[in-house]
Amino acid sequence: MEHKTELDNQGYIQRSLLDKKEFTFKGFFLQWEWMLVIILIAVMIINATLSPYFLNYPSLRDGTMTFLDKAFIVFPMAMIMILRDIDISVGSTVALSSVVMATMYNSLGVPMELAVVICLVVGALCGLINGLLIIKFKELSAVIITLGTMILYRGIAYVILEDQASGNFPEWFGFFGWGYVYGTPFVLILFICVAIVFGVILHKSTFGREIFAIGKNPTASRFSGVKVDRIKVIVFVLAGLMAGVTALFLTSRMGSTRPNVANMYELDVIAMAALGGVSTAGGKGKIIGTVIAVFIIGYLQYGLGLINIPAQTLLIVVGALLIFAVALPKVRLPKIFRKK
Amino acid sequence: MSEEYVLELKGITKEFPGVKALDNVHFRLKKGEIHALMGENGAGKSTFIKVITGVHPPNAGELFLNGKNVQFTSPLDAQKNGIAAIYQHVTNYPDLSVTENIFMGHEKVHKGTKRLLWKEMHAEARAILQDLGSSIDPKEEMGSLSVAQQQIVEIAKAISTNAKIIIMDEPTAALTARESEELYKITERLRDQGASIIFISHRFEDMYRLASQVTVFRDSKYIGTWGVNDISHEQLIVAMVGREITQVFPTKTNKKGEKILEVKELGKIGYYADISFTLHKGEILGLTGLVGAGRTEVCQSLFGITTYDRGEVFLKGKKVKIRDPKESMNLGIRYLPEDRQLQGLVLDWSIGRNIALPALKELSRKGWLSEKKEASLAKRLAEKVNVKANSIFDLVSSLSGGNQQKVSVAKLLTADLDIIILDEPTKGVDVGAKSAIYEIIHDLAVQGYSIIMISSEMPEILGMSDRIVVMREGRITKIIEQKDATQEGILEAAMSESKKVEIG
Amino acid sequence: MPENIIPNATQVDAQIVKTSKLASLYKFRELGLLAFIIILAIAVQLRNSSFLSGENINDMITNTAILSILALGMMIVLITRGIDLSIASVIALSGMITAQIVSANQNLNPILVILLGIVIGMVAGFINGFLVSKVGLLPIIATLATMNIFRGITYKISGGEWVSSYQMPESFVSIATGKTFGINNLIVIAIVIYLIFFYFINHTRTGRQIYAVGSNPESARVSGIKENRILMLVYTIMGGLAGLSGVLWVSKFASAQGDTASGYEMTVIAACILGGVSIAGGAGKISGVILGAILIGILNNALPLLNVSPFWQNAIQGAIILFAVIMNTLVKRGVDRNNLMRRKI
């Protein structure tokens, strides 16, 4: 009568069923984010020793304007990677939104205010197409589909603008790229706001919890009533929308656009997310980590730029950082850095 | 003295981080014998095979092959020494041909040019397969074969390596009775040709049919070896489980109430047709049949995982159309999937998070999750189903199969609901934990839940159900009241030729 | 108690019908692709009669040669469930280094130059293979990173300068423009590589092990196949072919730049996908890859003949990739459904 004894034996369940793991300082400090903080400090120190113009408030402040444009895509990209997918079409989406916006304004006489909205809509639409294709054709991986749309979106941008540049935007449009609010770059303020919004959504909302669940086990999530398809589409739309935002800031900062802008942005974005601790195997990642990673890669690029290291070197640096970021957790770390 | 054994393992211990998978186990295999290795899930059988085949080197212990102390560093090493394993989940190359699957790792190559000798390999593959009484075309793609055919190819592979010791890990798990009989014959033929066979199985009938010796492992430890005829069935169970189990189903006290679900002529092209049945409040409806009879498909359609093409579903008299699991859940239907690791649980999440996953909406306000509510709900339900754990913050992967299943059941209970569909609720659960799960199921019925229980285990179906629906090849062949149900009647309905009605 | 488990039935017959139909569909797939190519060729010919002229066909095949060589390498990478995004950068790197060397040493033997290019590519490929197999990075991430690193190195080496045709010796340019037995060298090289590959992947142990690793990595390990070695090998071969293509590319276009072949990896992957190579690994045929490369070659060649602006090329290519993979999926679904309908219940 085994089952009887088991049921009667309520004492087997400890009263402390609600006990959490104890908070330990060791556990707290052994998070990847602290590692990132150390790397960020190291980057600061290196930059400061290399260039006397680096380590002062105006320089650090204005430096953010050079790299924060693409950082908006990092958050939805982190979500996509947590979902075990990837989106390599974001760079092309930036180009297409930017080109459409410029063409609307310059060739079709659409007011700039409306063109800005259209830019965001085009981005979201690109994301929507990605998302719908991915859920309708589950046999295909997100890599293949976004590979196709990557070529397609950039191709459409070329069809629209050929090899021309399009600029001459109204003066107020420069505010996105160059404007300050209370002495702080507008892009930095917006970036922080977006980071907070995404952080709260990912870590505090049911939507975020469901993203993690899908990343860990998509089948079990579906059996638990999680609307997997809907969440995927929303996340890809967010990626497209943020690519639209990036297009705004990028176009504003450059003053004009071409079909080849934002080339290889997907690399920078994936590198930032991966360095930020988002697992490429899905189900893991924190917004705070990606934010620190954005500043690591951003300031690294900015600092190298200050000492006139050419842009080509940055390609090597970002590539190396990406390998470093994804390889490091796989290397056997000294014991104190290893997870239990 | 150990000369007479072709294979002898002494004091094998294998540790994985945090787990002792094998603890000082022994095993002896004579030439030309079929030796059954038995034990519950998690007894260490699978690890044991992997030690023999060189996949996992042991932490301690010795392995003697024909009396010689050997150490295998790789599977290839073991293969060269005449050891072949046929694994539980068929491990082959679905995209490659049968011949390639047979010869992978020991291909025939031209001596000088190292060119692959396809003609010779195809011919030999055909010869081996024919010898096994099979007419599989060696050029066929492996992935297009049935599970039973793939097993035969695996055996052909073992023969082609000249294996003297063949290990079969639950080879009959996915086979029909007829196919199993084929396999028994092949196994016996291998034995008669001088091979020694380690046969691992859950099924006592396999053991009684084939083996002359039986070794039992329990909780990673060696329990003993007996001649199959020297140990009684009951003693064997005690050896495996460690205690005497008289499987008692709860005395039924659930009351059948009003009709709650009515399914009318449900059909899905290629899977099932003409499915009609009713389900009442407080009733346990057993759904049985052979694997592949369409039981799971019907239930998954009711839960909205897949859609049905025709027919109607009435819930409390109202017609409903279910397109999505969430919709089904909102209608008060929950489903316990068969594969709890793949479909049921997020293994490296805590117990609490798992329990809360289907109820996130109820635990949140305007999309913001309340972790406090989450913890209290999880605690309440974990207690309700009696999960043995220290804390709801423990990872599900740290639990035993039975306790994982209880967490899966707890997930069903997060909302007010009417209908619970259980798909093989005791599959992969230790004998000891089964009773506890039966008790839970019965309690739920007493509380007024209506339960559909899919099961392939006859005693379970007979012991738990109020009514039994038997399916065969996508159709219902019989609906039996419990008092009229017999094992023979159910088997006949499950296996006999049904009246086939053509549908368009 | 377990002894009374009802024996399981299987859907043996239905399954066999289903998959063998699918298998025959795959054969049909290549025929379908061929038919599509023929129809396309006829359609283009009707619009512009110079399309099927001997000269244009020769042009077309010559232009497709490099693509088809690269597609072979990409095929074996895809078969192992990998992907290599760095090949265009490797082309640029090998092209730039060899171009600089020949412009400095005008008398260098072209065979030596080709070998040098192959070695450069193999080193690059070896690095990819190392990252994927030994470090265990996802192929898409690892090669995305090396794509940038190799491209960056190319820019650094070039110092922002081009190597132009006048700096290259005649012997170097003639690698791509010269003829052997009256056939353009590029075509000869492609044919030789195809023959070697055909033998390699169909008739050698290692070749089949590539398929085994992609089809089921787990059991490949159990069968004693050294997965890491195979991965290392396919990426190194891919690199070698990219290195070779770099030399051919620079020789053909008579210029080496920092942005040589930029974005070409997508064209190569597209050729493979069109040719029916499964991105999920394990499956892919040489015949399919040739057809895929030819289809893209025809498109690239025909669009200008049809007076389509070159700026449309990208968009059309992207649309065709999406169209092809989606059609493939839909056809598969249709076949599955047909088989289900045929199943008697």
Side-chain angles (χ1 to χ4, degrees), chain B residues 15 63 111 117 181 199 236-237 332 348 428 462:
Chain B
E15 280 178 69
L63 198 154
K111 284 213 179 74
L117 301 170
E181 190 52 43
F199 200 99
L236 194 58
I237 292 176
D348 54 357
L462 286 167

PDB file of all heavy atoms in Angstrom, chain B residues 15 63 111 117 181 199 236-237 332 348 428 462:
ATOM      1  N   GLU B  15      30.894   7.920 -12.409  1.00  0.00           N
ATOM      2  CA  GLU B  15      30.294   9.113 -11.819  1.00  0.00           C
ATOM      3  C   GLU B  15      30.185  10.217 -12.847  1.00  0.00           C
ATOM      4  O   GLU B  15      31.092  10.434 -13.635  1.00  0.00           O
ATOM      5  CB  GLU B  15      31.157   9.598 -10.653  1.00  0.00           C
ATOM      6  CG  GLU B  15      30.940   8.816  -9.388  1.00  0.00           C
ATOM      7  CD  GLU B  15      31.864   9.303  -8.280  1.00  0.00           C
ATOM      8  OE1 GLU B  15      31.644  10.426  -7.813  1.00  0.00           O
ATOM      9  OE2 GLU B  15      32.779   8.556  -7.932  1.00  0.00           O
ATOM     10  N   LEU B  63      37.307  -4.427 -16.868  1.00  0.00           N
ATOM     11  CA  LEU B  63      36.528  -5.065 -17.915  1.00  0.00           C
ATOM     12  C   LEU B  63      37.386  -6.172 -18.522  1.00  0.00           C
ATOM     13  O   LEU B  63      38.517  -5.921 -18.940  1.00  0.00           O
ATOM     14  CB  LEU B  63      36.175  -3.995 -18.948  1.00  0.00           C
ATOM     15  CG  LEU B  63      35.038  -4.272 -19.932  1.00  0.00           C
ATOM     16  CD1 LEU B  63      34.439  -2.964 -20.391  1.00  0.00           C
ATOM     17  CD2 LEU B  63      35.521  -5.073 -21.108  1.00  0.00           C
ATOM     18  N   LYS B 111      41.992  -1.799 -51.717  1.00  0.00           N
ATOM     19  CA  LYS B 111      43.242  -1.788 -50.950  1.00  0.00           C
ATOM     20  C   LYS B 111      44.188  -0.689 -51.399  1.00  0.00           C
ATOM     21  O   LYS B 111      44.780   0.015 -50.598  1.00  0.00           O
ATOM     22  CB  LYS B 111      43.935  -3.150 -51.074  1.00  0.00           C
ATOM     23  CG  LYS B 111      43.262  -4.191 -50.204  1.00  0.00           C
ATOM     24  CD  LYS B 111      44.278  -5.200 -49.675  1.00  0.00           C
ATOM     25  CE  LYS B 111      43.598  -6.211 -48.782  1.00  0.00           C
ATOM     26  NZ  LYS B 111      42.792  -7.192 -49.547  1.00  0.00           N
ATOM     27  N   LEU B 117      34.021   0.403 -52.127  1.00  0.00           N
ATOM     28  CA  LEU B 117      33.557  -0.649 -53.019  1.00  0.00           C
ATOM     29  C   LEU B 117      32.046  -0.806 -52.864  1.00  0.00           C
ATOM     30  O   LEU B 117      31.571  -1.682 -52.155  1.00  0.00           O
ATOM     31  CB  LEU B 117      34.284  -1.956 -52.695  1.00  0.00           C
ATOM     32  CG  LEU B 117      35.812  -1.861 -52.833  1.00  0.00           C
ATOM     33  CD1 LEU B 117      36.484  -3.092 -52.284  1.00  0.00           C
ATOM     34  CD2 LEU B 117      36.190  -1.658 -54.298  1.00  0.00           C
ATOM     35  N   GLU B 181       8.188 -10.766 -32.336  1.00  0.00           N
ATOM     36  CA  GLU B 181       8.429 -12.191 -32.546  1.00  0.00           C
ATOM     37  C   GLU B 181       9.524 -12.386 -33.590  1.00  0.00           C
ATOM     38  O   GLU B 181      10.428 -13.209 -33.411  1.00  0.00           O
ATOM     39  CB  GLU B 181       7.111 -12.863 -32.964  1.00  0.00           C
ATOM     40  CG  GLU B 181       7.151 -14.375 -32.993  1.00  0.00           C
ATOM     41  CD  GLU B 181       7.663 -14.998 -31.694  1.00  0.00           C
ATOM     42  OE1 GLU B 181       7.250 -14.519 -30.622  1.00  0.00           O
ATOM     43  OE2 GLU B 181       8.477 -15.945 -31.746  1.00  0.00           O
ATOM     44  N   PHE B 199      20.480  -8.447 -23.377  1.00  0.00           N
ATOM     45  CA  PHE B 199      19.177  -7.973 -23.822  1.00  0.00           C
ATOM     46  C   PHE B 199      18.576  -7.123 -22.706  1.00  0.00           C
ATOM     47  O   PHE B 199      18.302  -7.626 -21.625  1.00  0.00           O
ATOM     48  CB  PHE B 199      18.276  -9.184 -24.108  1.00  0.00           C
ATOM     49  CG  PHE B 199      17.121  -8.882 -24.998  1.00  0.00           C
ATOM     50  CD1 PHE B 199      17.177  -9.180 -26.353  1.00  0.00           C
ATOM     51  CD2 PHE B 199      15.964  -8.315 -24.492  1.00  0.00           C
ATOM     52  CE1 PHE B 199      16.106  -8.914 -27.187  1.00  0.00           C
ATOM     53  CE2 PHE B 199      14.896  -8.032 -25.326  1.00  0.00           C
ATOM     54  CZ  PHE B 199      14.960  -8.335 -26.676  1.00  0.00           C
ATOM     55  N   LEU B 236      11.603 -11.283  -8.539  1.00  0.00           N
ATOM     56  CA  LEU B 236      12.274 -10.439  -9.517  1.00  0.00           C
ATOM     57  C   LEU B 236      11.819  -8.980  -9.364  1.00  0.00           C
ATOM     58  O   LEU B 236      12.625  -8.048  -9.397  1.00  0.00           O
ATOM     59  CB  LEU B 236      11.953 -10.950 -10.925  1.00  0.00           C
ATOM     60  CG  LEU B 236      12.822 -10.402 -12.054  1.00  0.00           C
ATOM     61  CD1 LEU B 236      14.286 -10.713 -11.799  1.00  0.00           C
ATOM     62  CD2 LEU B 236      12.383 -10.997 -13.387  1.00  0.00           C
ATOM     63  N   ILE B 237      10.515  -8.814  -9.155  1.00  0.00           N
ATOM     64  CA  ILE B 237      10.000  -7.455  -8.984  1.00  0.00           C
ATOM     65  C   ILE B 237      10.564  -6.831  -7.713  1.00  0.00           C
ATOM     66  O   ILE B 237      10.986  -5.671  -7.703  1.00  0.00           O
ATOM     67  CB  ILE B 237       8.454  -7.454  -8.958  1.00  0.00           C
ATOM     68  CG1 ILE B 237       7.945  -7.840 -10.352  1.00  0.00           C
ATOM     69  CG2 ILE B 237       7.914  -6.095  -8.552  1.00  0.00           C
ATOM     70  CD1 ILE B 237       6.464  -7.961 -10.427  1.00  0.00           C
ATOM     71  N   GLY B 332     -11.697  25.410 -20.417  1.00  0.00           N
ATOM     72  CA  GLY B 332     -11.661  24.498 -19.274  1.00  0.00           C
ATOM     73  C   GLY B 332     -11.136  23.118 -19.599  1.00  0.00           C
ATOM     74  O   GLY B 332     -11.455  22.146 -18.932  1.00  0.00           O
ATOM     75  N   ASP B 348      15.162  23.000 -17.210  1.00  0.00           N
ATOM     76  CA  ASP B 348      16.052  23.779 -16.343  1.00  0.00           C
ATOM     77  C   ASP B 348      15.412  25.071 -15.837  1.00  0.00           C
ATOM     78  O   ASP B 348      16.064  26.082 -15.646  1.00  0.00           O
ATOM     79  CB  ASP B 348      17.454  23.989 -16.947  1.00  0.00           C
ATOM     80  CG  ASP B 348      17.395  24.604 -18.324  1.00  0.00           C
ATOM     81  OD1 ASP B 348      16.274  24.806 -18.807  1.00  0.00           O
ATOM     82  OD2 ASP B 348      18.455  24.875 -18.905  1.00  0.00           O
ATOM     83  N   GLY B 428       7.165   5.972 -18.094  1.00  0.00           N
ATOM     84  CA  GLY B 428       8.475   6.364 -17.596  1.00  0.00           C
ATOM     85  C   GLY B 428       8.474   6.733 -16.131  1.00  0.00           C
ATOM     86  O   GLY B 428       9.368   7.434 -15.655  1.00  0.00           O
ATOM     87  N   LEU B 462      -7.918  -0.964 -17.015  1.00  0.00           N
ATOM     88  CA  LEU B 462      -8.971  -1.709 -16.330  1.00  0.00           C
ATOM     89  C   LEU B 462      -9.180  -1.198 -14.917  1.00  0.00           C
ATOM     90  O   LEU B 462     -10.301  -1.145 -14.410  1.00  0.00           O
ATOM     91  CB  LEU B 462      -8.620  -3.198 -16.292  1.00  0.00           C
ATOM     92  CG  LEU B 462      -8.763  -3.937 -17.621  1.00  0.00           C
ATOM     93  CD1 LEU B 462      -8.107  -5.299 -17.550  1.00  0.00           C
ATOM     94  CD2 LEU B 462     -10.227  -4.067 -18.000  1.00  0.00           C
TER      95      LEU B 462
END
